[in-house]
Amino acid sequence: MEQRHLGRTGLRVSRLGLGTLTWGRDTDEHDAADQLKAFWDAGGTLVDTADVYGGGEAEYLLGQLMERLVPRRDLVVSTKAGSVPDPDRRMDGSRGHLLAALDASLARLGTDHVDLWQLHAFDPHTPLEESLQALDIAVSSGRARYVGVSNFCGWQLAKAGTWQLGSAAGVRTRLAATQMEYSLLQRGVEREVLPAALDLGIGLLPSSPLGRGVLTGKYRHGTPSDSRGGSETMSPFVEPYLDDAASRIVDAVATAADGLAVTPLQVALAWVRDRPGVTAPIVGARNAQQLAAALSVESLSLPDEICRALDDVSAPVHRYPDQDWSTL
């Protein structure tokens, strides 16, 4: 699998990442082992997790598999911290919480460091500088090699990235990555997040690159009972992408796939993988069969005319102040 630099850093990662959101919940140890082995055999290196995935079980499973299945040195392990199971405060970006969460993650993963550590989201109740100090401490203490943020909007990313570059003494650590939802069904990051990331040299790691599964075409003729959309707990996650506007985009992806003799999944994943500023889409799968379908995209590059057609049909409406005001 092709390797890419993560942002403006020396860290190289596979251009597809393996997500572990379902590990320890919908994906058991056997299926997780099959996924990790298939990913590694295909040349994949970047494995993404978080301290809240499966209530910590995803990290624990990954740690067990690194001990007995795939060498730790062959993987780029990324995890996140800050999300908390509190309905009144979903994010705790305090320095104390973040560093304690990192230590707990390392214990579950069975390693002394992670390759990438990210703030899971912006915490409006904690000064951003305090949260960013935790990232610097993680790197200076050797517990993290690189750091980043996740689910930051444009101004939040610009502020964080600029702060991290602002020390003349060089004691702050450059943000390497930002992880955001990005697909043909969700192009909101193109408004401000992606331009900020490109300007600051921060690599984009798209999550849900298949539009929460909708871009595979599985929902074109109804909701399969074994799908996320058919799950009582996950259906609210999928429902926003089942409207008429999304259907038109899904139909266009299916048409392109038919013309190229590939699958809609391959078309949708290749499109986001090769967008400017993207380092590696994070692909989640419940089993090795689903993952194999995603890994098959490695040899596919979309023709320019197909990309332009998909760009047009999925184009978000960005006017003032994104366009030149004098032309409006």
Side-chain angles (χ1 to χ4, degrees):
M1 190 181 300
E2 181 181 320
Q3 305 289 304
R4 292 174 172 174
H5 282 279
L6 182 59
R8 206 171 294 158
T9 74
L11 179 63
R12 287 167 58 83
V13 301
S14 53
R15 65 174 179 171
L16 283 183
L18 174 62
T20 64
L21 174 64
T22 63
W23 286 23
R25 188 183 62 198
D26 300 323
T27 302
D28 62 20
E29 182 176 1
H30 176 75
D31 285 334
D34 288 345
Q35 285 186 34
L36 186 61
K37 184 64 163 55
F39 183 67
W40 180 54
D41 287 343
T45 61
L46 176 61
V47 182
D48 177 76
T49 189
D51 61 349
V52 293
Y53 291 174
E57 281 299 306
E59 288 183 330
Y60 178 76
L61 265 180
L62 179 56
Q64 294 296 302
L65 295 177
M66 287 192 298
E67 182 177 337
R68 60 179 174 81
L69 183 65
V70 175
R72 168 69 180 90
R73 64 180 178 276
D74 288 355
L75 298 179
V76 176
V77 177
S78 170
T79 194
K80 297 176 284 292
S83 291
V84 291
D86 184 342
D88 297 321
R89 184 182 182 181
R90 297 182 57 193
M91 182 68 187
D92 185 348
S94 65
R95 183 170 54 243
H97 172 80
L98 291 174
L99 293 174
L102 175 57
D103 288 339
S105 289
L106 294 177
R108 285 188 292 268
L109 289 164
T111 183
D112 63 354
H113 75 279
V114 290
D115 301 287
L116 176 65
W117 188 49
Q118 300 177 94
L119 302 180
H120 209 153
F122 181 83
D123 177 12
H125 303 293
T126 300
L128 180 59
E129 292 82 0
E130 179 179 337
S131 299
L132 296 176
Q133 286 168 1
L135 299 183
D136 292 331
I137 293 171
V139 173
S140 63
S141 65
R143 287 177 279 180
R145 298 292 190 254
Y146 296 86
V147 292
V149 297
S150 175
N151 299 306
F152 275 40
C153 71
W155 73 263
Q156 294 164 353
L157 178 64
K159 183 176 181 180
T162 302
W163 169 267
Q164 291 302 111
L165 293 175
S167 174
V171 296
R172 296 182 191 154
T173 305
R174 170 189 291 274
L175 295 183
T178 181
Q179 189 166 331
M180 301 289 294
E181 185 170 353
Y182 187 26
S183 74
L184 279 162
L185 296 182
Q186 179 52 270
R187 295 177 61 182
V189 297
E190 294 176 5
R191 180 177 173 91
E192 291 185 337
V193 172
L194 191 51
L198 286 166
D199 185 67
L200 292 164
I202 298 170
L204 180 64
L205 301 175
S207 58
S208 295
L210 297 174
R212 307 183 183 184
V214 175
L215 287 165
T216 64
K218 70 172 68 175
Y219 298 99
R220 292 181 77 194
H221 307 293
T223 301
S225 59
D226 62 345
S227 67
R228 286 183 178 179
S231 163
E232 182 177 349
T233 57
M234 295 300 293
S235 59
F237 181 68
V238 178
E239 187 176 359
Y241 293 162
L242 297 178
D243 59 11
D244 291 341
S247 293
R248 289 191 291 273
I249 298 170
V250 172
D251 287 345
V253 170
T255 298
D258 288 342
L260 296 171
V262 296
T263 65
L265 179 153
Q266 290 173 307
V267 170
L269 191 52
W271 180 88
V272 71
R273 181 198 64 195
D274 295 332
R275 297 293 287 178
V278 168
T279 299
I282 306 298
V283 178
R286 289 197 307 273
N287 53 54
Q289 183 179 4
Q290 289 184 348
L291 179 62
L295 294 175
S296 67
V297 78
E298 177 64 19
S299 60
L300 176 64
S301 294
L302 297 180
D304 290 342
E305 60 270 23
I306 295 292
C307 288
R308 286 193 295 269
L310 293 174
D311 290 351
D312 289 344
V313 75
S314 65
V317 178
H318 294 332
R319 296 193 177 99
Y320 180 82
D322 303 284
Q323 298 176 6
D324 181 358
W325 68 270
S326 63
T327 65
L328 299 177

